[in-house]
Amino acid sequence: MDINDLMDEILRQSTSEGRFTLDELLHYSSGHSPTGIGVSKEKEHTFFLIFSGGEPDGAMFVDTMGTLFGDSAVLRLTGREEFELFPVTPPIVDALVSRCRVFDKSHLKKNGRLDIPTVGTPARQRIGVLCLIVRDGRTPLAGAHVAIRKGKVVMTSDVTDSEGKVSFRLLNGRYMCVVSDRIGERTRRIIEFHEPQVEAYVDIGGTEDEFR
């Protein structure tokens, strides 16, 4: 059994938590502390990023030439990958990390963002609560991954509840909202957020100008 077959066997026993860019995945892991495997599959290679308690402790890069482990694998990251995250039991994760441990995480900091950035001057901006209700037509969309971006930086992200709702504490300003449903399709909306508390709808079948 080669490494791809082994990983496929492990992942078949899990359910996806959603799809993320590298930035989004690192930010999500810092806030939710998952233990599991992020998988990015391309035509010619596959990348596995292994998390233990939210830390990206292991990595594997697999292509037709063979497999790279740990720091050598992380060096192949471009930052443009999209990952699907699967929860995996700690004993399996620990066994994998022992074979592909990442010792120098500065490589990840170059390609993604392990720290949450600060945007604007707190003295001139207010913190408010943004509540988004994600719908497909009139149907609430549960389990959708919602990321809030400022430029190319992912400020925060979360998954909608059974009523399609998700809430964020943010500095007032202009943001890009990126919604990924369970099959990975994406919807982008611009949000102007200037009140102490705002509730808005995101219809994944809507138009790009909905929040302008």
Side-chain angles (χ1 to χ4, degrees):
M1 180 180 291
D2 66 20
I3 192 66
N4 274 323
D5 291 336
L6 173 62
M7 298 302 284
D8 285 344
E9 180 64 27
I10 292 172
L11 299 178
R12 273 196 292 270
Q13 302 175 41
S14 182
T15 302
S16 171
E17 281 194 5
R19 297 179 67 86
F20 307 81
T21 65
L22 178 60
D23 278 354
E24 291 169 349
L25 181 60
L26 293 174
H27 182 74
Y28 179 85
S29 68
S30 69
H32 294 76
S33 301
T35 294
I37 302 172
V39 185
S40 174
K41 289 194 174 185
E42 303 291 341
K43 288 183 179 180
E44 298 180 351
H45 66 265
T46 303
F47 199 99
F48 300 99
L49 196 56
I50 302 166
F51 291 86
S52 178
E55 287 294 316
D57 285 337
M60 290 186 285
F61 176 88
V62 185
D63 64 7
T64 56
M65 302 295 292
T67 304
L68 297 175
F69 299 96
D71 297 288
S72 297
V74 170
L75 288 173
R76 301 301 296 268
L77 280 169
T78 66
R80 297 187 296 272
E81 293 83 0
E82 288 202 357
F83 288 84
E84 192 163 9
L85 179 63
F86 295 87
V88 176
T89 59
I92 293 177
V93 165
D94 291 344
L96 291 171
V97 168
S98 70
R99 297 289 303 276
C100 62
R101 187 176 300 278
V102 175
F103 292 97
D104 186 357
K105 294 179 183 176
S106 66
H107 301 312
L108 284 166
K109 291 183 180 180
K110 291 177 183 176
N111 291 292
R113 297 182 181 272
L114 292 178
D115 300 318
I116 300 173
T118 300
V119 173
T121 305
R124 300 176 63 182
Q125 291 182 288
R126 294 179 300 175
I127 294 176
V129 177
L130 173 65
C131 177
L132 299 177
I133 303 171
V134 181
R135 302 186 299 189
D136 185 356
R138 295 189 177 185
T139 304
L141 190 63
H145 177 259
V146 181
I148 303 297
R149 295 185 179 185
K150 191 79 168 178
K152 294 183 179 180
V153 178
V154 178
M155 305 302 298
T156 185
S157 65
D158 208 341
V159 176
T160 57
D161 63 17
S162 60
E163 297 180 340
K165 292 184 179 181
V166 63
S167 295
F168 305 102
R169 285 179 57 83
L170 294 166
L171 289 172
N172 290 161
R174 182 180 175 92
Y175 297 92
M176 176 68 75
C177 168
V178 182
V179 180
S180 304
D181 63 19
R182 291 182 177 180
I183 60 174
E185 295 182 354
R186 295 192 165 219
T187 299
R188 298 170 184 265
R189 298 286 182 268
I190 293 173
I191 300 174
E192 293 280 1
F193 175 49
H194 298 296
E195 301 296 330
Q197 186 161 351
V198 171
E199 183 174 284
Y201 291 92
V202 179
D203 190 338
I204 63 171
T207 64
E208 193 75 23
D209 296 332
E210 186 171 340
F211 286 101
R212 289 182 187 272

